[in-house]
Amino acid sequence: NKLSTFASLLLGEARKKKREGLIDEAEALLKIANDLEYNIKTSFTLAEHFYLTGKAKKANELVNTSLENSDSKSWDLKLYELALKTAIDIKNKDEAKIRYEAYKQINAIPNPVLDALYFNLTGDSDRAKEVISEVNALLLSKQYLKNKFSPKSINEINRLKQ
């Protein structure tokens, strides 16, 4: 399908723009790709972009819509992880609890940094700090965090490390 191919090309161009630091241009390309060919890949990529650039509410709305259309375990894993991250960022404890349980059922080895953020949101800051203190240093590196978590979550992770 030509639309699908073109949408994939737009996703590739958006990745390139992000690497070049052209975040607004990347976002525009991601929006066009999603509008052109709405599917799990385009909507997830746009939702992840929103999350990583601090637009958790937009990301949350988009990822929740994507969850309704998911048809594979690998996409479910990515979508539930992102849904959990966005629920944590917007401080929606009820949604975070639902997403956390679903995420843990799908993923036998959940991300401990994400566990710590969830525990912190639910009021168990002692457990969150304990989990963070036991996390492999590579998972707390500046570059890893930047690629996986929003600025808001990174600030929270850094606070938990103290």
Side-chain angles (χ1 to χ4, degrees), residues 48-132:
E48 183 178 52
H49 170 81
F50 283 148
Y51 170 72
L52 292 173
T53 57
K55 300 170 186 163
K57 190 166 175 46
K58 282 183 176 182
N60 185 264
E61 292 167 3
L62 194 54
V63 77
N64 284 330
T65 301
S66 298
L67 270 169
E68 297 167 9
N69 299 310
S70 177
D71 60 359
S72 77
K73 188 174 178 179
S74 62
W75 276 115
D76 284 351
L77 178 60
K78 291 177 180 184
L79 291 166
Y80 276 109
E81 181 175 328
L82 185 56
L84 174 57
K85 288 175 178 178
T86 62
I88 290 169
D89 264 22
I90 63 174
K91 299 192 182 308
N92 185 333
K93 289 181 188 178
D94 294 335
E95 183 181 337
K97 183 177 183 189
I98 292 166
R99 301 305 183 214
Y100 184 73
E101 294 303 322
Y103 172 67
K104 289 208 42 142
Q105 282 186 346
I106 295 170
N107 190 358
I109 307 169
N111 183 325
V113 178
L114 191 51
D115 280 347
L117 288 170
Y118 173 74
F119 298 143
N120 189 56
L121 175 71
T122 58
D124 197 347
S125 61
D126 289 341
R127 187 171 176 196
K129 288 178 181 182
E130 181 183 330
V131 169
I132 283 290

Side-chain angles (χ1 to χ4, degrees), residues 3-4 6 18-20 23 30 34-35 45 94 108 140 150:
L3 280 179
S4 183
F6 191 61
K18 282 177 86 168
R19 280 194 302 272
E20 295 170 355
I23 304 303
L30 292 171
N34 193 52
D35 290 345
T45 306
D94 294 335
L140 296 174
S150 70

Side-chain angles (χ1 to χ4, degrees), residues 130-142:
E130 181 183 330
V131 169
I132 283 290
S133 72
E134 296 170 357
V135 169
N136 181 320
L138 292 174
L139 295 179
L140 296 174
S141 72
K142 195 174 189 175

